[in-house]
């Protein structure tokens, strides 16, 4: 897992940061017994998911591998399983 770039993109960092702030806001207002603040925090959580997804679609996420690379990996994995 250390060799992958899973989650090391501006889209991932932005989405997680906004969602984390939303969890903190919702948690504080849940303890304070304030439903409006809780739902505002919940809206921030959803906003984090939307922002991360939009940034990924804009090209700031992990790029997808070309079909040739995916097929080559599948062939290599099948060959390794056959020889093991």
């Amino acid at each position: 897992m250390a060799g992958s770039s899973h989650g090391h993109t501006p889209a991932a960092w932005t989405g997680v940061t906004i969602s984390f702030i939303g969890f903190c806001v919702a948690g504080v207002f849940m303890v304070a017994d304030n439903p409006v603040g809780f739902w505002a925090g919940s809206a921030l959580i959803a906003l984090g998911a939307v922002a991360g997804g939009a940034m990924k679609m804009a090209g700031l996420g992990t790029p997808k591998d070309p079909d040739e690379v995916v097929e080559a990996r599948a062939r290599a994995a099948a060959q390794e399983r056959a020889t093991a």
Side-chain angles (χ1 to χ4, degrees), residues 22-42 45:
F23 275 109
C24 292
V25 168
V28 166
F29 283 110
M30 184 187 311
V31 172
D33 194 27
N34 184 335
V36 174
F38 168 77
W39 289 110
S42 298
I45 295 168

Side-chain angles (χ1 to χ4, degrees), residues 33-68:
D33 194 27
N34 184 335
V36 174
F38 168 77
W39 289 110
S42 298
L44 276 175
I45 295 168
L47 178 66
V50 170
M55 290 178 70
K56 182 178 179 182
M57 288 179 13
L60 295 171
T62 305
K64 291 179 69 176
D65 288 331
D67 291 335
E68 299 84 27

